[in-house]
Amino acid sequence: MAQTGTNKVAFAWPSVVGQSYQVQYRDNMETASWMNWGGEISAVKTNTAVEAEMNGPNGRRFYRIIELE
C-alpha cells in the first residue's frame, strides 16, 4: 500500500487471473463490520492494483482485500 496523492492510496496484490476480489474498509478497528469499497474486481493479470480514497476520520481508514467465491 502506498499513498499516491493527498487523499489517495494504492493497493497491489498477487492475484489469480479470472478470480474476483473486493476491497473493503472500516474507519474504526473497534467495530466488527467492514464496508465494500467500489465494486468487485476481476483479475486480468497475476498482479492487481487499485487506487482508493483515504477520507476516513482524521485521514485514517483501514483496508483489506478479500477473495470472493
Side-chain angles (χ1 to χ4, degrees), residues 1-16:
M1 180 168 73
Q3 188 169 350
T4 59
T6 304
N7 289 322
K8 299 276 184 175
V9 63
F11 305 93
W13 66 94
S15 54
V16 176

Side-chain angles (χ1 to χ4, degrees), residues 14-34:
S15 54
V16 176
V17 174
Q19 180 63 47
S20 293
Y21 298 89
Q22 178 70 58
V23 176
Q24 296 184 326
Y25 73 92
R26 63 182 176 188
D27 295 329
N28 182 345
M29 291 304 288
E30 295 176 3
T31 63
S33 61
W34 289 87

Side-chain angles (χ1 to χ4, degrees), residues 40-61:
E40 291 182 13
I41 300 161
S42 182
V44 295
K45 297 182 180 179
T46 57
N47 288 301
T48 301
V50 296
E51 188 175 67
E53 292 181 1
M54 198 169 55
N55 58 357
N58 300 317
R60 293 184 200 162
R61 181 163 275 176

